[in-house]
Amino acid sequence: MMPAASDPGPPSTTPAVDVLVIGGGVIGLVTAWRAAQRGLRVTVVDPSPGGGAAQVAAGMLAAVTELHYGEEALLELNLASARAYPEFAAELAEVSGQDIGYRACGTLAVALDADDRAQLRELHALQQRCGLEAQWLSGRECRRLEPMLAPGVRGGLRVDGDHQADPRLLTAALVTACRRTGVEFRRTRAGKLLCSAAGGRATGVELADGGRLGAGRVVLAGGSRSGMLAGLPEELRPAVRPVKGQVVRVRMPQSRPPFLSRTVRAVVRGSSVYLVPRRSGELVIGATSEEQGWDTTVTAGGVYQLLRDAHELVPGLTELPLAETRAGLRPGTPDNAPLLGPSGLDGLLLATGHYRNGILLAPVTGEILAEVLTEGELPGRWQAFSPMRFAGVPA
Ligand code: GLY
């Protein structure tokens, strides 16, 4: 007999898998795919696989132009992933039959006034100290590369190694690649981490639909929500917080020469703005950076700021048709770097906290997590990203 609607009956227990991934965003998907390729039985738990921050992200692979003081360890990880991208994109296209919009287009970071130029000169000096390729250009040289730039551009940095991928195509291809590699999906939320009776080991999750899934290892890849999972020991709760980013999408004309041929970015009155032109004609204008908790409202002020700053860079863009406005949540961490590998609780691994670099870091994250899952340890080279560096830091 069917149980009454108010009586869900005893929770079902699904047979154990090797790896259970909580979160089907770009990081959860790439982890699942790489683990399945290594012969592990993998299930991803997510109500909407392929959703999340990647649906909003512009997809800049900006290891060099987004370099910041004090982030040299992160730079090494970013560069390793940027180098892996061409092969990663080709392999993913072969397995999934889907293109991910990887474009080796390069980036131009420009200055609009003397303050911006001084800031860009500082960035250039830091890039040079780190041995990175970046070339200083005059305003005229910038406009020769990108004729739609404002006449007032005072100079810029040409970075031919910072490219782009299309995050929406990337996640769609990863979902297909996961399916073709035998990954199972449970389209529900993970409600609670399950641990052994003595609490010394993660053993699976209780699902929001009442079921339970047992697993040899659990990978928490929940993006900005990673710290919210019930059942996590308090001292191991990942120090991840949501950092809101609003993004505007417009459509470029299919012209020759193209409206913009590479990513163009600037810091305008202290806020960063970037324009990422896709082959499809989409132009992504991003992004605000707001500490607003879980709010994902698209605000008039956020859109105004982006369009005002983008218009200063490329005045002609206000003629373009508006396609979309959207806000997403970056998973920020105290040092802006991700949390990768063993968590401090046996059986629980983290793959979260990728903050501004989730799309860029997909290839290297997949490799690192697959290695941790098969070898049991975080490779020595990447110890700086161990989640244990924040043990006890409140989420
Ligand atoms: N990496 C671009 C952003 O987070 O807005």
Side-chain angles (χ1 to χ4, degrees):
M1 202 175 88
M2 292 282 287
S6 57
D7 170 19
S12 62
T13 306
T14 312
V17 291
D18 296 320
V19 181
L20 193 155
V21 180
I22 300 176
V26 65
I27 295 301
L29 291 170
V30 76
T31 299
W33 177 43
R34 290 308 198 190
Q37 280 183 320
R38 300 213 183 180
L40 298 168
R41 290 173 307 141
V42 184
T43 294
V44 173
V45 177
D46 193 300
S48 174
Q55 292 300 312
V56 181
M60 286 181 300
L61 311 176
V64 178
T65 39
E66 288 206 356
L67 176 64
H68 291 86
Y69 284 104
E71 295 185 358
E72 286 77 7
L74 179 58
L75 171 67
E76 196 187 333
L77 189 72
N78 286 345
L79 288 174
S81 211
R83 280 193 291 271
Y85 240 99
E87 209 173 305
F88 173 80
E91 184 185 352
L92 190 47
E94 193 178 319
V95 174
S96 67
Q98 292 166 236
D99 176 48
I100 67 159
Y102 175 69
R103 235 190 111 191
C105 59
T107 295
L108 183 64
V110 302
L112 288 164
D113 62 24
D115 286 348
D116 301 343
R117 192 166 55 180
Q119 193 170 336
L120 214 50
R121 286 275 193 202
E122 285 293 315
L123 174 63
H124 192 207
L126 178 60
Q127 290 166 337
Q128 287 176 316
R129 282 199 297 281
C130 294
L132 302 170
E133 297 257 336
Q135 183 191 359
W136 185 264
L137 301 183
S138 67
R140 184 179 299 209
E141 288 168 325
C142 290
R143 280 190 304 281
R144 204 172 297 138
L145 282 182
E146 295 296 341
M148 295 305 285
L149 281 175
V153 163
R154 305 280 289 268
L157 274 177
R158 176 178 177 164
V159 178
D160 286 342
D162 275 2
H163 303 315
Q164 63 161 296
D166 182 332
R168 292 175 179 177
L169 298 182
L170 171 62
T171 48
L174 282 169
V175 169
T176 304
C178 280
R179 289 216 168 91
R180 291 186 174 174
T181 318
V183 173
E184 303 265 341
F185 287 92
R186 286 293 297 261
R187 289 179 158 266
T188 182
R189 261 189 207 296
K192 184 179 174 191
L193 182 73
L194 298 173
C195 292
S196 57
R201 183 172 180 87
T203 56
V205 292
E206 189 175 291
L207 303 171
D209 65 11
R212 288 172 168 234
L213 271 176
R217 260 82 49 83
V218 176
V219 179
L220 179 51
S224 57
R225 299 176 62 88
S226 298
M228 310 270 284
L229 184 67
L232 279 169
E234 274 319 303
E235 68 282 9
L236 300 183
R237 198 169 282 285
V240 177
R241 69 183 197 287
V243 181
K244 178 178 173 182
Q246 300 190 48
V247 164
V248 172
R249 284 172 159 85
V250 296
R251 300 237 28 113
M252 298 178 294
Q254 296 289 357
S255 55
R256 284 265 144 231
F259 185 83
L260 286 178
S261 61
R262 74 202 69 222
T263 296
V264 171
R265 53 186 305 151
V267 176
V268 183
R269 288 179 294 274
S271 38
S272 163
V273 64
Y274 47 78
L275 284 71
V276 182
R278 302 229 194 279
R279 258 193 230 107
S280 64
E282 179 181 83
L283 178 64
V284 186
I285 305 170
T288 64
S289 188
E290 304 165 65
E291 304 275 352
Q292 302 265 14
W294 302 103
D295 172 48
T296 51
T297 313
V298 175
T299 63
V303 172
Y304 168 70
Q305 175 197 312
L306 290 172
L307 291 179
R308 179 197 62 198
D309 295 349
H311 174 257
E312 285 200 29
L313 263 187
V314 176
L317 67 73
T318 47
E319 304 296 322
L320 303 181
L322 181 64
E324 189 184 317
T325 58
R326 196 126 170 208
L329 299 172
R330 305 173 184 90
T333 63
D335 61 2
N336 301 334
L339 307 170
L340 304 175
S343 65
L345 175 67
D346 266 0
L348 178 67
L349 311 178
L350 301 189
T352 188
H354 290 68
Y355 189 36
R356 297 185 306 260
N357 299 308
I359 305 303
L360 170 61
L361 289 175
V364 79
T365 300
E367 287 304 327
I368 291 174
L369 265 292
E371 189 145 344
V372 176
L373 286 164
T374 48
E375 305 300 323
E377 282 180 12
L378 185 63
R381 181 179 174 201
W382 303 124
Q383 282 302 322
F385 305 102
S386 164
M388 264 105 66
R389 72 191 189 277
F390 294 129
V393 175

